């Protein structure tokens, strides 16, 4: 303690906004709302917010005794504090604190609301590409961006849960890039990016009850231990289906809120009523195969944070990964041409996508945030080296997977149509093997088309309790119809699952495998006759 | 630093007890025993206790150099300290410290012992219900409560390991509710509840060597890193059997101590001699099917902490979950009638139990403490919502499991007896499926009795390396006799396992499956002839 | 704050080396290089090093604002600091800081280099045993020891990854014992041993891409969150083979460096060019079966840290565990005779080895450092108790495994040779069972030789996608030749794997199991004819 500082003590006590506090200020008069109270073994710690920022203020009566028991979470107060810092973060020592009267409280409430609304104001900056689906969804983009910014301002943690494939990672990463800098700014500390943000893949192709219980449990723990708020969860490239419903409902009981950004189809929209905002092309009469989740999240990311850079390559990559170009080549090319200006090209993006597919199968449910950043080009030179090393290696694995598949695949002619089947459990080594069954079947399917120029092909990977299916458009196949057919003909098989028109998977109980395969062929024969 | 504080510096230095220290005291004279020494990169940190409480005192010579090398863990000292606080926890700066002479040491030792004995004094408050088993076990309850309170006073961490079902969770939760508040009080900080307490389910239906090595490793790490003591482990609804012995012995080598509260039977009591206290109805000539582990732990919880509230519904729920009402309906109804006064009813408790069964299958070995608290009604409104949402959903899963089971079950008549078998691996999808095999077999068994009014039924779920068995009382079956029969007739099957008279599981090596099933039928035929 | 301290403020400001700073110094003048800058929500934190040590110095402009933006990582500076401590670790408050001019910088650079070279100077203390292989590898030992010491001085974290068997644990533990004390000394705090050191087993018998991605991800996280450097990874008892190559290359992209200490053979050395130093008997024309990884790491440990004690028993144990005595009994006996002087004997070492094998199968990928320390005799009395308890228990498990194996094994005569086969999946219970397939096959093999005195025996454990093989030397078998034969005769089986001459495993795709077994017999028949 030196003389200069002692003199500071005598300065006048200013009424000020929290955002303006810094260590050159010795004392300050604040008005704000208490949004968190933690009783430690020593002092009582209050978190106070005035709409411009947040500061921790504390007082100590005796060990473990609650200071100012008349003040609760939600109280509007005026406080005189001495400014200091603890562990490098600003804080205040309470000299006096008082609850505001009703009139002052109402004034402050309005002021905070005004400031918060300012803070979450979303600028309509337009989309990167000219696109009808995006235009139709614009209001939802703005609403979602507002809600996400509000969560940040209110210091709610944000969890992004995404599909475990290249499109899902693209969607999750775009959101991460826009949200994390805002969280760091809000909390005045880089550490906040690990405390108030999590991005993690779902294991199943939907947000399942296991994910929901895990997210809820961790959040309840953080609420109990650190007085954190319950989080906002953004589900990306998953979340629109009936399969997601229970998990979302379960978490909502514990005050978790949801935003869903997806492009997968659903039989009936049961999700919109459960979430803050639901963004999906199908909700505005459009087709999800014309827009990837990565594209949707890149555009949403730009509305959340106008400063994000270098987003177009994420959109382009996710577009190719999910084969959006088959439905709308123009939109993908538009993103690609922007990405090309930033140094990417289609081949590189396809290699990156390949590496992401592989890495996602290795890291499974782990976040590995910084590793994923490298894969997406942060920093660029490491990405280039990593992709040059890994892509050829993974292509070799794919080649071996294809070779095994070709050795095991059997083709049968059904009229104009070829059915290709492979017994996965007999030909593939099992757990840990890459490519996984779904990917292997895709490789075998595409290769057969390439080698034979067959146009009407259905490829089925047969497992003990499931079939995974790929079909060409010319095959005019419908997984949904097959499912209905099986449910009628073989109710004891307890068929479940589904997918797109040309790709999907059905589950059944093990003893029904042979019957399912028999009926699959019957289904194709009947279809062919019509 | 203000004038008032400076003046405090001149106050007389008081001889005082640790419990009376607070920040209004500037300096204090303490007598106590050093029970922990941590050498940091800076000061040396001593933890001193005088039987009324514990405080951290420290001194600094130079970085990493041990202050007062003459003082060891276990030294009895007198210290003059300046009182301050660090991270909101009280601590002292050592001004002088000296080892007591033999006479002073003996006096202090006696005083600490007297105070500790006061601290662990257990009040005989009587049981919630009038019950012979409880009365016979009362001495053991008092002893266990004393040992648990002593562990808290001596700042040993406590680990509760329980069976992974509704009764096990009830037992573990009751103990948690009583122990955690005492730990928080002892350590003057809410954070202590996560540092000094852990409740976690066992995966196997016993405390296995894997659990033991994991608990030991974590505790050794905490001892090395934080100078924690080795823990007291309470095994609840597990722990009384031969299968638990090695795990307990393994941990004891590392100074871990055990208390077991169980109601499962055993061939021979090999556990009592290895643990501080062993509570089990079978140890006092009573039957464990007349008393659940949840009931035992609810009563123990009340002896540990007389202030626990709202315990009867836990006892009632565990009673129904483990079918105690079949043996002693009165004791369960007694708990239920108390629970009803607190707003529970049998239907609600049965729904909660169902949700616990389901959630336990999802969270597996994770603690998810706060989530479990919600399930048990903390807070009540969230519990109600959660159970209303989940119970119907889980009943649907059970219904599907039953439907699959019915499609696969085969019944055969053996005299007056029906044997129902189902090949689990052929009919159920495997890992992750709910209901799990044991539960599914139970559902199929109960349903058959319900639908046919058959009284003498044995249901066997057949797997590759195990059978899981349910029998009605009228079937007069004995899993133990079957095991003995198989061991004699088929020694190469390497049969293991067991269970209650009417429920259990036996393991064998895969190639013996058909022989085991053949001999099971032979066993039933022979039994029937007699 | 007392008068004495205020007076200290007026003392002259000394120019000094970082190693000499302590809290009795009030102010100091330092020269050094900035090797880490962390911007907190409050002050900017610089880590400065002058070759004699490292200290954290900080300054605060306003919350989150970077102090001295002209100073970067790598800047050479002179700073006047006020000495204090934070959380018990010394630190400095910056009073002034300036970048050195080119001339001063060059001088300091040379001085730091000189001091660092002093710090990593390795004394040629000779080996514990007189041995040709060690002598030929001596230069590599010295180089590796220098690199490891440099990593410590430069505050790089060190990760030791080892084979998941007794020899691997021995190798890893020997390195841990030598490195950890140096890390603690470097960082002035015991906590550093958990922050800057990790030892963990590989799951596969090589450093696989999964390990590499996990190590990279965790290190990138620590770099982002704590500004840690990327680590030096030492692979022990693994790492020399082609299978390790991709994983090493992957991690190197992220600035991770490697040292490999192994004794396994390889077809071609592709590793040396990727790592700092590669120690392996085969690299100097010697045979890895004459020297265990444990022995190599014990000798390396002594070069890293001349103060390590009690190493010979680790070498002896690893020697017996990997059957080095079969090739060079003398070297193992030499280590054993030293170990005997420290109270070990062959029987005890063999028991410890047994317990390590068992425990490693239970803890899998977890570090459980302190538990492993007990197993290796820290402290000795606990080790003795633990081994006395566990060894007989594990021998019983082995006995049961052998009994199951004997019940399932089939012997066939091929000329002078006996082929013993066992269908693992039909006879062993599967996941979690101890002994695991490889160990079980070893027990069956050894036992048959013992019981029948058969000299020419091949034992093959047959699984769904693999065979695991043991052969006596007299059988004159070659796993490598079998692999080549299978690749020629059955390319569609996609055979992979390998091993030593007399022990190893081959993988193939499931549907080829019967063909592989048929060809195995044909291979033996053909061999016999010659």
């Amino acid at each position: 303690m030196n003389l200069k500082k002692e003199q500071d003590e005598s300065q006048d006590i200013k009424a000020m906004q929290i955002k303006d506090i810094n260590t050159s200020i010795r004392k300050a008069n604040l008005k704000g709302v208490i949004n968190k109270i933690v009783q430690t073994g020593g002092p009582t710690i209050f978190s106070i917010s005035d709409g411009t920022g947040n500061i921790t203020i504390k007082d100590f009566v005796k060990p473990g005794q609650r200071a100012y028991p008349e003040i609760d979470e939600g109280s509007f107060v005026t406080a005189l504090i001495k400014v200091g810092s603890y562990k490098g973060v600003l804080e205040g020592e309470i000299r006096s604190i008082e609850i505001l009267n009703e009139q002052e409280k109402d004034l402050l409430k309005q002021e905070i609301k005004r400031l918060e609304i300012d803070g979450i104001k979303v600028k309509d900056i337009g989309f990167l590409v000219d696109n009808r689906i995006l235009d139709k969804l614009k209001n939802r983009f703005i609403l979602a961006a507002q809600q996400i910014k509000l969560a940040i301002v209110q210091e709610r943690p944000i969890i992004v849960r995404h599909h475990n494939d290249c499109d899902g990672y693209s969607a999750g990463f775009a959101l991460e890039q826009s949200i994390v800098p805002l969280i760091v700014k809000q909390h005045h500390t880089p550490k906040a990016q690990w405390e108030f943000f999590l991005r993690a893949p779902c294991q199943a192709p939907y947000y399942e009850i296991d994910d929901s219980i895990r997210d809820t449990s961790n959040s309840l723990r953080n609420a109990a231990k650190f007085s954190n708020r319950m989080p906002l969860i953004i589900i990306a490239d998953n979340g629109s289906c009936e399969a997601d419903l229970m998990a979302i409902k379960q978490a909502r009981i514990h005050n978790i809120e949801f935003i869903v950004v997806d492009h997968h189809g659903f039989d009936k929209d049961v999700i919109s009523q459960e979430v803050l905002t639901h963004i999906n092309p199908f909700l505005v009469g459009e087709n999800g195969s014309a827009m990837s989740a990565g594209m949707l999240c890149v555009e949403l990311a730009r509305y959340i944070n106008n400063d994000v850079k270098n987003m177009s390559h994420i959109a382009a990559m996710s577009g190719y990964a999910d084969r959006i170009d088959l439905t709308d080549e123009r939109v993908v090319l538009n993103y690609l041409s922007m990405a090309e200006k930033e140094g990417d090209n289609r081949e590189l993006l396809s290699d990156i996508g390949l590496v992401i597919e592989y890495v996602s199968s290795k890291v499974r449910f782990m976040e590995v945030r910084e590793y994923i950043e490298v894969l997406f080009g942060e920093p660029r030179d490491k990405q280039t080296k990593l992709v040059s090393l890994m892509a050829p290696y993974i292509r070799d694995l794919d080649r071996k997977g294809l070779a095994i598949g070709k050795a095991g695949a059997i083709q049968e002619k059904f009229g104009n149509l070829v059915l290709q089947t492979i017994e996965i459990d007999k030909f593939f080594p099992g757990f840990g093997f890459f490519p996984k069954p779904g990917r292997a079947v895709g490789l075998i399917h595409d290769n057969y088309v390439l080698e034979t120029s067959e146009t009407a092909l259905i490829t089925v990977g047969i497992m003990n309790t499931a079939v995974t299916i790929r079909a060409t458009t010319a095959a005019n196949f419908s997984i949904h119809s097959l499912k209905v057919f099986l449910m009628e003909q073989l109710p004891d098989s307890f068929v479940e699952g589904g997918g797109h028109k040309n790709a999907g998977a059905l589950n059944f109980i093990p003893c029904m495998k042979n019957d399912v395969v028999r009926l699959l062929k019957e289904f194709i024969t009947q279809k062919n006759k019509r």
Side-chain angles (χ1 to χ4, degrees), chain A residues 196-207:
Chain A
F196 290 90
F197 185 83
L198 178 76
R199 178 198 51 67
C202 303
Q203 274 311 290
Y206 54 94
Y207 185 66

Side-chain angles (χ1 to χ4, degrees), chain A residues 47-60:
Chain A
S47 175
I48 182 171
S49 163
D50 68 355
T52 74
N54 202 305
I55 191 168
T56 288
I57 62 178
K58 63 189 188 186
D59 206 346
F60 185 86

